[in-house]
Amino acid sequence: MYSFIFLPHNLLNLLLIATGVIFFLIMISFSIVFFQEKEYRAAKIAFITSLFVASPFILISLMQFAYKDVIAFIILFITYSAVLVLFIPIRFSKKELFSEPTDKHDERDIMFSRNELVPNTEKYTQYYALNPEKKVIDDNFRDKPGLLSPESVFYHTLAYASANANLQVIEALKPFVNGTVAAKKLEVDNEKISKYLKAWASKLGAHSTGITILKEYHLYSHKGRKELYGKEITNHHKFAIAITVEMDNDLISTAPKGPVIMESTQQYLNSGTIALQIASFIRELGYSARAHIDGNYELICPLVARDAGLGEIGRMGLLITPKLGPRVRLAVVTTDIPLPVDTKSDFSSVIDFCTICKKCAVVCPSHAISLENRKKISNTLRWKINSESCFTYWCSAGTDCGRCIAVCPYSHPNNLMHNIIRWGIHNSSLFQRFALFMDNIFYGKKPKSRKIPSWIDI
Ligand code: SF4
Ligand code: SF4
């Protein structure tokens, strides 16, 4: 027997059953992956959805009623057309990418530098004489308990002690950012040495490594931290190697609680160590190299990493990498060893997705992230976060918060399921909307902060 569309009834029934089974299997796989990721709300929703999504197809295949073939055909046609449309790589608009800034930042203006100013000292008096408008704002964060303070909201003895331990090791490593260059310069094949450096960095724990020409706007104008405060920065290196390392999803998901600062400092340390090793290695080959690590930067790492092709700057002002989103920490090595520069990939989908997403801005406890579209600031179309509000919150919380990183849909683990979704987001404007809708369903519009893992909360 043939139906009106000349498909055997049995084939239509088979297609209905197969479609139901496929959707069921997809949702069940999602549920299992979410469960493994300890996303229990998402796992539960995916499990319930697996039952509902399959049942209309299976039920229709089992039932007998008038015009069944017509209805079955229409349902199958709509279902597969919708799937096809979602995955067709069409982008409505490609947003203009982050362009090159015209001016340099002064490291003395960043919050960490301002936090180090001690009242009644020359530096303090000078800074606020030049920047009187910042005095009230800074007095506000100085009134709070401060980062890693026992009086802070999220004080956690073990997590804070671990973070302090990490920071002490980073501090001890700072003298090694520079070093003596070997007298004999080795002739190097730039392609081979770049390949070697990237493979070695990966072996040492880097998630991604990219190379760019060092530009003037990457550099701060003046040092703003510790003993070199106020020193003009001159760095004549030609190249910059940007390194990202992953921050652990389980710990970042507890943001803004104690483990977040334990993990961020750990990855500052890990990225910093890799940068120190690479810089030292390059000096061994007879070329100048300087590592830029936490608390001892001459440059703005996200800008370098972006130009080295490792991602794009998103709404929260951080580098959004293709596989881990903002859930990375960065370090940079500048050098004069000849290196091939990486070509930049097209990450305009990050800007497109950030334009519709706004999850980081919605959850930010200090309202530091803009809900508006990008604005032109120093020749650069970008989102600017209110670093003063953000840092003031850190000084109450005691941690570096990280709620924005934790809830970002790009931050989900680097696995097949999320990478298929990332592929869809990269290629299709419709899929971007669908992915955001599903992210809100599975994780919630304002995903909750996870519990501190039991091995930390003993
Ligand atoms: S949470 Fe959304 S808006 Fe914020 S950086 Fe991530 S993708 Fe962009
Ligand atoms: S770290 Fe916290 S306070 Fe700062 S921008 Fe992100 S969510 Fe807001």
Side-chain angles (χ1 to χ4, degrees):
M1 283 283 280
Y2 283 82
S3 70
F4 83 108
I5 50 158
F6 311 111
L7 283 176
H9 293 294
N10 287 348
L11 184 58
L12 271 176
N13 265 348
L14 205 67
L15 276 174
L16 281 168
I17 294 169
T19 308
V21 170
I22 289 169
F23 282 138
F24 173 76
L25 290 176
I26 290 174
M27 292 317 292
I28 277 290
S29 323
F30 275 26
S31 180
I32 294 168
V33 175
F34 286 139
F35 191 79
Q36 286 168 341
E37 291 173 0
K38 303 191 189 85
E39 294 290 352
Y40 300 122
R41 171 201 150 108
K44 210 188 308 172
I45 293 172
F47 179 75
I48 296 167
T49 313
S50 72
L51 305 176
F52 284 105
V53 84
S55 41
F57 298 99
I58 307 288
L59 281 178
I60 294 172
S61 76
L62 296 175
M63 285 159 61
Q64 292 302 330
F65 54 88
Y67 303 113
K68 174 182 165 177
D69 291 345
V70 182
I71 291 170
F73 178 78
I74 291 172
I75 288 176
L76 285 169
F77 181 78
I78 292 175
T79 305
Y80 285 104
S81 303
V83 172
L84 207 68
V85 164
L86 271 182
F87 279 93
I88 289 175
I90 297 177
R91 300 259 305 280
F92 298 143
S93 72
K94 281 194 182 180
K95 295 274 186 304
E96 187 194 326
L97 283 172
F98 185 97
S99 46
E100 297 194 356
T102 44
D103 54 358
K104 282 180 160 189
H105 289 274
D106 187 329
E107 200 192 21
R108 288 173 292 188
D109 289 330
I110 70 163
M111 301 314 293
F112 285 108
S113 304
R114 282 150 69 179
N115 189 37
E116 282 171 11
L117 293 172
V118 180
N120 304 319
T121 59
E122 201 189 328
K123 275 186 209 167
Y124 181 96
T125 314
Q126 260 180 12
Y127 186 79
Y128 292 112
L130 286 171
N131 303 280
E133 74 289 354
K134 294 190 174 123
K135 176 81 170 55
V136 178
I137 300 166
D138 292 5
D139 283 346
N140 191 22
F141 75 69
R142 282 195 192 94
D143 281 346
K144 310 277 184 269
L147 269 175
L148 293 170
S149 161
E151 281 79 45
S152 61
V153 176
F154 296 108
Y155 176 71
H156 187 287
T157 315
L158 300 184
Y160 277 30
S162 303
N164 273 322
N166 294 338
L167 291 171
Q168 281 165 27
V169 179
I170 294 170
E171 190 63 36
L173 291 173
K174 278 182 191 166
F176 303 105
V177 296
N178 260 321
T180 313
V181 178
K184 191 171 175 308
K185 194 174 264 188
L186 205 82
E187 279 303 312
V188 290
D189 174 320
N190 64 357
E191 290 289 345
K192 279 188 186 160
I193 208 71
S194 147
K195 217 169 148 191
Y196 177 84
L197 279 174
K198 287 179 181 177
W200 189 38
S202 161
K203 205 96 190 117
L204 294 173
H207 165 68
S208 57
T209 308
I211 300 164
T212 182
I213 298 280
L214 180 66
K215 306 251 177 74
E216 270 303 304
Y217 70 83
H218 292 151
L219 296 166
Y220 285 119
S221 62
H222 296 83
K223 289 285 283 176
R225 312 285 300 269
K226 306 274 164 60
E227 58 283 350
L228 294 176
Y229 187 90
K231 185 175 178 286
E232 195 177 340
I233 291 174
T234 46
N235 182 321
H236 299 300
H237 288 146
K238 191 167 178 210
F239 300 100
I241 307 165
I243 300 149
T244 69
V245 294
E246 180 173 5
M247 290 198 286
D248 182 83
N249 191 46
D250 284 351
L251 299 191
I252 293 303
S253 301
T254 67
K257 300 184 194 114
V260 80
I261 195 161
M262 177 179 168
E263 178 60 8
S264 64
T265 52
Q266 178 64 55
Q267 300 313 332
Y268 274 127
L269 173 57
N270 289 352
S271 57
T273 313
I274 299 170
L276 289 171
Q277 286 172 275
I278 287 179
S280 183
F281 163 80
I282 294 173
R283 292 194 294 267
E284 279 294 308
L285 301 185
Y287 298 86
S288 170
R290 188 209 197 267
H292 301 262
I293 69 170
D294 179 45
N296 197 349
Y297 301 111
E298 286 183 344
L299 42 71
I300 302 166
C301 291
L303 287 183
V304 177
R306 167 198 172 264
D307 290 350
L310 301 186
E312 184 51 76
I313 312 287
R315 183 181 287 275
M316 67 175 80
L318 298 179
L319 181 81
I320 308 284
T321 59
K323 295 280 171 69
L324 298 173
R327 198 166 46 81
V328 291
R329 286 286 110 145
L330 308 170
V332 167
V333 173
T334 53
T335 179
D336 61 8
I337 194 169
L339 291 169
V341 172
D342 285 304
T343 46
K344 276 194 250 170
S345 308
D346 176 10
F347 291 125
S348 57
S349 56
V350 169
I351 304 293
D352 289 351
F353 191 64
C354 278
T355 304
I356 58 166
C357 171
K358 305 179 184 173
K359 275 185 110 154
C360 53
V362 170
V363 301
C364 173
S366 71
H367 309 292
I369 303 173
S370 168
L371 281 158
E372 293 173 11
N373 284 341
R374 293 180 303 162
K375 295 209 166 79
K376 202 122 190 162
I377 304 161
S378 334
N379 190 42
T380 308
L381 200 52
R382 67 179 176 113
W383 286 285
K384 186 177 187 311
I385 81 149
N386 185 335
S387 51
E388 288 149 346
S389 304
C390 171
F391 191 77
T392 305
Y393 178 74
W394 291 11
C395 291
S396 297
T399 70
D400 49 359
C401 176
R403 275 288 280 153
C404 44
I405 300 173
V407 304
C408 179
Y410 280 110
S411 288
H412 298 316
N414 179 11
N415 58 32
L416 182 67
M417 179 182 88
H418 293 299
N419 285 338
I420 291 173
I421 294 162
R422 288 183 180 108
W423 181 89
I425 290 175
H426 185 68
N427 287 294
S428 156
S429 297
L430 272 180
F431 195 94
Q432 286 174 4
R433 278 149 184 87
F434 174 71
L436 181 59
F437 174 75
M438 294 310 286
D439 200 89
N440 288 338
I441 299 266
F442 286 129
Y443 299 90
K445 275 192 174 167
K446 290 183 176 185
K448 285 201 179 124
S449 166
R450 274 204 217 158
K451 274 193 193 156
I452 298 179
S454 54
W455 67 270
I456 298 174
D457 217 12
I458 48 174

